Amino acid sequence: MFPNPAGGSERKKADTQAPLEFSENQQIGRFELIREIARGGMGQVFLARDTKLGRKVAIKFLLRPDPTFVSRFVIEARATARCTHENIVTIFEVDEHDGLPFMVLEYLEGKTLNEAFETRPAPRQFAELMVSVARALERAHEHGIVHRDLKPSNIFITDRGVVKVLDFGVAKCFDNPVDAFDHVITATASGSRVPRALSASSDTFASEYVTFSGGGTMVGTQPYMSPEQWGADEVDQASDIWAFGIMFWRALAKKHPAGSMAPDKLRARLCDLEAPLPSILAGDPTLPSDLGAIVDRCLSKRKADRPTATDLVAELQAFLQPKARISDDACPYRGLAAFGERDAKYFFGRSSEIRTAIQQLDVWPLLAVIGPSGVGKSSFVHAGLAPAIRDAGGNWQIRVLRPGRNPLQSLASVVDDVLESNGQGVEMVVAQLRDAPGLFGDMLRKAAKRRKHEVMIIVDQLEELFTLSDDGEVRALFLAALLAAADDPSAPVRIVLSMRADFLDHLADHKQFMVELTRGMFFLSAPGRDNLRETLVRPAELAGYAFENQEIVEDMLQSATSRGALPLLQFAATQLWDARDRTRKRLTAAAYAAMGGVGGAFARHADEVAAAVPKHSQLLLKAIMTRLVTPEGTRDVVDQRELAGLTEDQSEVARILDQLVRARLIHVHSDDVQGATVEIVHEVLISEWPMLGRWLEEGHALRGFMQELGQAVRQWVARGKASDLVWRGATAQEALALTNRHVLDLSAAEREFLLEAELHAARGRRRKMLVFASIFSVLGLVIAGGAIAVVRISNAQEATNQQAIAAQSEAKKARSAEADAARQLDAFKAEEQRRATAEFGRKQAEAAATTANLAVDASREELQQANLDLQRTLKESQNDKDQAQALAVAAKAAAEIARKATDEAKSANAKLQTLLAQQKDRVKQLELEKKKIATGL
């Protein structure tokens, strides 16, 4: 939303003309009206679209034709445009439509100070917010502009926590009171158009100054008006400081210091300059005394006794920081290292984001701080959010973890710490989380209830879940555990994550977690220029130092344009601190010039550190640094023992690591979960150090292999060097080929692992040769057996053929015998016919003989001889018949033998084909076994 910037509460709506009527998508120049969002005594505000620049804007129309209000409208436009500042609403354009002047302002979403603090805020929280208001006043006062109507409804807090001061409609300028504005008033009153010189980009607009006193009438909102606004003195910048103090009273003490807001009583009480107002500490004795002193000074009735806006900024910042100054020997800058909670006193420039993050945590238990590398996400959650949560009240137990290489163990260690088990239950908790990840939230909530405290778990660098862990099941369990802990805003558990924005797509497979994460997403961008300035100036002031001149700061800010601007600025400031002038307590221009500015300081420092490493150790340095970078180009967390194993002389590795630590390029961390680990202090080292970039480019093809090798070796060592985890087959062959082609700096464990792989491969080759020999032997035997079988089959086939030929011969003989038998049978039939004829003849002969015996007497000897011949013929005929029958039986037997021989030949041939097919299948199976054996080796 956009607040009501159309006028003060003292203006009467009766004098306004009827509200503007507009139609949907009505076009006014390049602006398209959407809807009305505010209305006040002077004007009406609409939400609109800037169709040219593609953004939402707020358009404020003036509704009163009174020249006085036209003048105020012009004053607001001029004053707002002149005071370009992140805490002052931005004006884009001024023009008129149908005779009504309008201005185009940035569209803000959020709430006014009145809405933000309907309940009593914490003093520190309110002071942090009011620092931004004081900065806005400082900028306005630098331009000779007095707001004159500062009040909670004119202070807006965006959804991102940025404070904006609004409504300069009754502002007054003091630095160049020329008569130009009188001309503007006269011209407007006579009906002339609002001059286009009032465009926010116009030089005329930026250089003309206006004064307006309201024709001698009082200007402002009565409860916030200073004594001089009531007529006790001339109005100037001190009047805004008075209103600033009143807002503290109204917010913290919930009343007005004058005891009454009736106009006559206010005037009488405030114009009595000899009677001071009571201290705010009298209204609330629990307030910090130093904050009470600041507020009391703001409400000094004599304006000369009030602080300036610049003093106010400094005093509030001093209140918000620890009272004791740091030692002269302690560096107030962190270089490339992230800020920790103990460094909160050095952490500046994120107050608005911290406020917004706390408000977001109030309504949703999961806060995901997402942003690009180099914007300070880890510093924000550790040194900004965590201390602010503690200061906001409540009994908070804050625990920090990083997923690392063992994400579930990291979760279990946090639970064990919250439960105060002294490390005794970590493994048990890991086992429980594997079965039921929801127990993570359950255990935290029960511990919080039992000890009557609230728990906040900070999961820093969530991207390690993907860069350092390759177990998809563990990732899913880890994310499910986080969701189970951040399940309800009323629960006493909060989860805060930090993660690089370019790793968001890695969560695509975890849809439920992605849904919940987007509800609590907080995008952290790089600090604005003013906030960056604060990160440079304020730590030095805390230590009692200052920059020799502001040109150093401006040049540093101008040079900080890369995505790693924040860590590079911190590093450059660290170098300046090391070369500081202790006598004058100054960070000098000479030191800044000597180090080559922001851009040159870091690369030069890293190169000097590398050059200081002995020449014979340069390869070892390269191996160490490249191992600290993942294939994805992010920081890796490497076991210190793994680095120590890169050479037989472990003391040499220790010396290099010590040099890198002292040079603030790496960080060595020890804990009970991961042991001693080493990592680069910041990823800006990867992107901004050319030498490391060259090393990584040279080893680009090998980095993925080295990363994979390192993971395999760690698993192998963790499992007691189990032989089944040693690489085999194509993976081992590729790894050994790489080690043969390149000179690699391998740790002792990696060399042992690859040696095992090589020995296994050698054993595999020997087994392979034996298998091949066995295969060849088996193949020989098979072939020999096949040859014998073929010979046997050939012999069987030959025998079968011979049998077939014999059968065919026998069949031929049988057919010949059958033909002979047939011929004999025909002969027999003919003989039978002949015998029958003879019998008939005999009978005829007997008849004739009888007749002859009767007729003549024949010779007995001839008859007997004829009878003997007949008997002999009959006997021969019978013998021929028996022989023919025997030949027929023999022919049938020979045909049966021929048939059986043919069937045996066919069966033998089928068996031969089956045997040949079986031998072919066996040969194929042996070939497949041969390939499998070769692949397995």
Side-chain angles (χ1 to χ4, degrees), residues 627 641-642 645-647 713 745-752:
R627 278 174 176 269
R641 291 170 297 182
E642 181 180 327
L646 288 173
T647 179
V713 170
D745 294 299
L746 302 174
S747 66
E750 288 168 344
R751 287 193 294 270
E752 184 181 357

Side-chain angles (χ1 to χ4, degrees), residues 624-646:
I624 291 173
M625 294 305 299
T626 53
R627 278 174 176 269
L628 297 177
V629 182
T630 67
E632 292 84 5
T634 62
R635 287 184 292 178
D636 201 352
V637 179
V638 181
D639 193 311
Q640 188 171 355
R641 291 170 297 182
E642 181 180 327
L643 296 178
L646 288 173

Side-chain angles (χ1 to χ4, degrees), residues 343-417:
D343 304 317
K345 57 182 174 292
Y346 308 124
F347 188 70
F348 294 94
R350 291 292 194 183
S351 57
S352 62
E353 289 95 337
I354 293 171
R355 284 196 304 273
T356 303
I358 292 176
Q359 292 171 5
Q360 195 163 323
L361 271 176
D362 285 341
V363 298
W364 192 248
L366 176 66
L367 180 74
V369 180
I370 309 296
S373 176
V375 298
K377 299 180 294 297
S378 295
S379 297
F380 176 79
V381 297
H382 292 307
L385 186 58
I389 288 288
R390 296 189 192 278
D391 292 341
N395 182 18
W396 283 93
Q397 298 293 316
I398 299 177
R399 298 293 183 267
V400 180
L401 69 91
R402 287 170 56 177
R405 299 191 184 281
N406 302 293
L408 293 184
Q409 193 170 8
S410 297
L411 287 179
S413 297
V414 166
V415 171
D416 190 71
D417 186 27

Side-chain angles (χ1 to χ4, degrees), residues 571-650:
F571 181 84
T574 303
Q575 297 294 297
L576 272 179
W577 177 263
D578 291 341
R580 66 193 180 280
D581 185 336
R582 296 174 181 268
T583 303
R584 296 189 298 126
K585 291 187 176 297
R586 291 291 182 269
L587 306 182
T588 65
Y592 182 66
M595 72 184 195
V598 173
F602 173 71
R604 180 177 301 176
H605 170 72
D607 288 342
E608 289 173 354
V609 173
V613 175
K615 188 173 182 180
H616 66 275
S617 299
Q618 288 291 317
L619 285 178
L620 183 57
L621 171 65
K622 176 182 177 181
I624 291 173
M625 294 305 299
T626 53
R627 278 174 176 269
L628 297 177
V629 182
T630 67
E632 292 84 5
T634 62
R635 287 184 292 178
D636 201 352
V637 179
V638 181
D639 193 311
Q640 188 171 355
R641 291 170 297 182
E642 181 180 327
L643 296 178
L646 288 173
T647 179
E648 295 180 357
D649 186 2
Q650 296 188 3

Side-chain angles (χ1 to χ4, degrees), residues 182-498:
D182 295 332
H183 172 71
V184 174
I185 296 175
T186 303
T188 305
S190 62
S192 300
R193 297 173 61 86
V194 174
R196 291 191 176 273
L198 293 181
S199 167
S201 61
S202 168
D203 292 337
T204 305
F205 178 70
S207 62
E208 289 184 356
Y209 299 87
V210 298
T211 61
F212 177 70
S213 62
T217 61
M218 292 186 298
V219 175
T221 302
Q222 291 178 355
Y224 299 91
M225 286 168 52
S226 64
E228 51 270 25
Q229 286 176 287
W230 288 100
D233 204 340
E234 290 294 327
V235 175
D236 60 14
Q237 288 91 336
S239 296
D240 289 340
I241 304 301
W242 176 278
F244 190 89
I246 294 294
M247 284 191 288
F248 265 94
W249 264 86
R250 297 291 299 275
L252 301 182
K254 292 299 179 184
K255 58 184 178 181
H256 195 284
S260 172
M261 288 190 291
D264 55 340
K265 292 183 179 181
L266 273 176
R267 179 192 293 272
R269 184 70 189 274
L270 298 184
C271 289
D272 183 2
L273 302 184
E274 301 302 323
L277 292 177
S279 171
I280 191 173
L281 297 175
D284 184 357
T286 65
L287 293 175
S289 58
D290 44 357
L291 179 61
I294 295 172
V295 176
D296 292 346
R297 284 187 63 207
C298 291
L299 295 178
S300 298
K301 288 186 177 179
R302 299 188 184 278
K303 62 183 183 181
D305 295 334
R306 298 173 205 157
T308 65
T310 301
D311 294 337
L312 199 53
V313 170
E315 290 174 10
L316 286 174
Q317 287 178 335
F319 162 72
L320 294 171
Q321 297 306 314
K323 302 303 177 287
R325 287 192 179 277
I326 63 175
S327 167
D328 186 66
D329 294 329
C331 179
Y333 302 101
R334 296 297 89 193
L336 298 181
F339 286 78
E341 190 170 350
R342 289 179 297 180
D343 304 317
K345 57 182 174 292
Y346 308 124
F347 188 70
F348 294 94
R350 291 292 194 183
S351 57
S352 62
E353 289 95 337
I354 293 171
R355 284 196 304 273
T356 303
I358 292 176
Q359 292 171 5
Q360 195 163 323
L361 271 176
D362 285 341
V363 298
W364 192 248
L366 176 66
L367 180 74
V369 180
I370 309 296
S373 176
V375 298
K377 299 180 294 297
S378 295
S379 297
F380 176 79
V381 297
H382 292 307
L385 186 58
I389 288 288
R390 296 189 192 278
D391 292 341
N395 182 18
W396 283 93
Q397 298 293 316
I398 299 177
R399 298 293 183 267
V400 180
L401 69 91
R402 287 170 56 177
R405 299 191 184 281
N406 302 293
L408 293 184
Q409 193 170 8
S410 297
L411 287 179
S413 297
V414 166
V415 171
D416 190 71
D417 186 27
V418 171
L419 298 177
E420 298 179 358
S421 303
N422 298 320
Q424 298 176 1
V426 172
E427 294 304 323
M428 180 181 69
V429 174
V430 169
Q432 290 175 325
L433 293 179
R434 285 188 178 276
D435 292 334
L439 288 176
F440 179 69
D442 185 60
M443 288 185 279
L444 293 179
R445 286 187 290 272
K446 287 180 178 177
K449 182 178 180 181
R450 186 167 57 253
R451 294 179 172 82
K452 296 182 179 180
H453 63 217
E454 296 170 293
V455 177
M456 185 167 78
I457 305 298
I458 296 176
V459 184
D460 194 14
Q461 300 183 44
L462 185 64
E463 62 268 15
E464 288 184 355
L465 194 61
F466 304 98
T467 60
L468 302 184
S469 174
D470 57 357
D471 191 328
E473 181 182 359
V474 168
R475 291 172 184 163
L477 291 172
F478 185 88
L479 296 176
L482 296 183
L483 280 187
D487 64 348
D488 187 80
S490 64
V493 178
R494 294 292 184 270
I495 302 294
V496 177
L497 314 173
S498 73

